[in-house]
């Protein structure tokens, strides 16, 4: 869009259905590259992507002409198919419904990128549930626990 200028930074977080630990370190980089390709093909900028066996985080510089829910739906659908086509796991793989999306200012980018890239260290101290609820509280987002992800107890 000529004449349109924006600065929109969004961190998105979503989990594997049932919070199963299905994302293997053996192929997670290939998955992250695939998701990065989707982001770039939609003309957004991938700033960071990383995760754990049961969830992922990514931070993008987003074009204002995009609908975030459409983008996340495309990423989930296409990455499901990619994982199945590649035969990364023997049984079914699906992402859980829903996602978290959190906006940041330009001055916060370095901290957010570091946070995403250090996920494996972070989760030695904090569970995904604690992390996710922490985001909701820090961003003052009202939520009902019954609509959050299915947590492994």
């Amino acid at each position: 869009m000529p004449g349109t200028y924006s600065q929109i930074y969004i961190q998105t977080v979503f989990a594997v259905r049932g919070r199963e630990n299905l994302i293997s370190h053996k192929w997670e980089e290939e998955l992250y590259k695939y998701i990065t390709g989707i982001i770039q093909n939609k003309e957004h900028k991938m700033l960071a992507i990383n995760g754990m066996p049961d969830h992922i985080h990514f931070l993008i510089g987003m074009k204002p002409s995009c609908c975030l829910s459409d983008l996340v739906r495309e990423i989930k659908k296409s990455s499901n198919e990619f994982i199945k086509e590649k035969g990364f796991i023997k049984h079914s793989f699906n992402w859980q419904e829903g996602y978290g999306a959190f906006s940041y200012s330009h001055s916060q980018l370095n901290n957010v990128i570091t946070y995403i890239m250090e996920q494996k260290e972070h989760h030695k101290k904090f569970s995904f549930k604690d992390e996710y609820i922490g985001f909701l509280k820090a961003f003052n987002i009202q939520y009902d626990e019954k609509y959050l992800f299915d947590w492994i107890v």
Side-chain angles (χ1 to χ4, degrees):
M1 280 188 260
T4 299
Y5 304 98
S6 67
Q7 181 176 284
I8 305 169
Y9 300 109
I10 304 289
Q11 177 185 192
T12 303
V13 183
F14 51 83
V16 175
R17 180 172 287 158
R19 293 278 330 293
E20 291 185 83
N21 291 319
L22 297 180
I23 302 171
S24 169
H25 70 280
K26 294 176 185 175
W27 51 267
E28 70 180 351
E29 283 301 316
E30 202 170 339
L31 174 63
Y32 298 159
K33 286 178 185 175
Y34 183 80
I35 291 171
T36 298
I38 295 169
I39 298 290
Q40 291 172 338
N41 287 337
K42 300 287 184 180
E43 300 182 347
H44 305 290
K45 184 175 182 181
M46 179 66 80
L47 300 172
I49 184 168
N50 200 4
M52 295 295 292
D54 65 344
H55 73 280
I56 67 168
H57 295 248
F58 57 86
L59 175 66
I60 61 172
M62 194 170 140
K63 294 279 190 183
S65 58
C66 177
C67 174
L68 182 62
S69 61
D70 291 344
L71 179 64
V72 172
R73 184 174 29 259
E74 175 66 25
I75 290 168
K76 286 182 173 185
K77 178 180 175 273
S78 296
S79 62
N80 275 347
E81 292 169 4
F82 175 75
I83 290 167
K84 290 171 188 172
E85 286 171 10
K86 287 289 198 170
F88 287 145
I89 59 175
K90 296 186 190 309
H91 57 295
S92 177
F93 180 94
N94 286 291
W95 298 107
Q96 281 192 326
E97 285 188 44
Y99 60 92
F102 309 98
S103 61
Y104 295 90
S105 68
H106 189 269
S107 65
Q108 296 171 300
L109 292 184
N110 286 339
N111 290 340
V112 178
I113 290 168
T114 299
Y115 176 81
I116 290 172
M117 299 316 293
E118 294 179 352
Q119 275 295 288
K120 292 176 180 51
E121 283 301 310
H122 172 75
H123 283 293
K124 289 179 180 176
K125 299 176 191 164
F126 300 97
S127 71
F128 177 49
K129 181 177 184 178
D130 290 340
E131 173 188 54
Y132 195 76
I133 290 174
F135 277 125
L136 296 174
K137 288 180 178 178
F139 283 84
N140 233 0
I141 298 171
Q142 292 183 354
Y143 65 94
D144 186 332
E145 284 234 20
K146 70 181 178 183
Y147 297 115
L148 292 180
F149 298 133
D150 296 331
W151 304 110
I152 298 173
V153 233

